[in-house]
Amino acid sequence: PFIIYAPHEIKKMYTHEGEEFMYILGGRLEFIYGEKTYIMEAGDSVYFDSCVPHSGRSLDGKTARLLVMIYFYKRNRQ
């Protein structure tokens, strides 16, 4: 788990293997997932397939703080 401070502008969309959980600790976030956009506030959470393009930005001039956990289910076995 780690904390992200969401930027105020969307600079790029992200994709990576695995699944992701985000919990909004503070502020408001515009979260883009694929073709859909969601407005999230403190106390909201989302769990999603991170292979789908996603990104987000802080709203209202305040920096949103997110608790993020990423789960990578593929492992190299030797």
Side-chain angles (χ1 to χ4, degrees), residues 32-78:
I32 300 169
Y33 182 71
E35 300 293 321
K36 296 185 179 183
T37 300
Y38 303 90
I39 303 301
M40 301 178 69
E41 299 181 346
D44 290 343
S45 64
V46 63
Y47 181 77
F48 59 93
D49 179 348
S50 47
C51 292
V52 175
H54 58 282
S55 192
R57 70 181 182 103
S58 294
L59 297 174
D60 305 328
K62 298 177 184 173
T63 302
R65 216 167 33 112
L66 322 170
L67 173 65
V68 177
M69 290 181 246
I70 299 174
Y71 172 64
F72 297 102
Y73 46 84
K74 293 185 180 179
R75 295 176 187 242
N76 292 331
R77 296 179 189 237
Q78 298 182 15

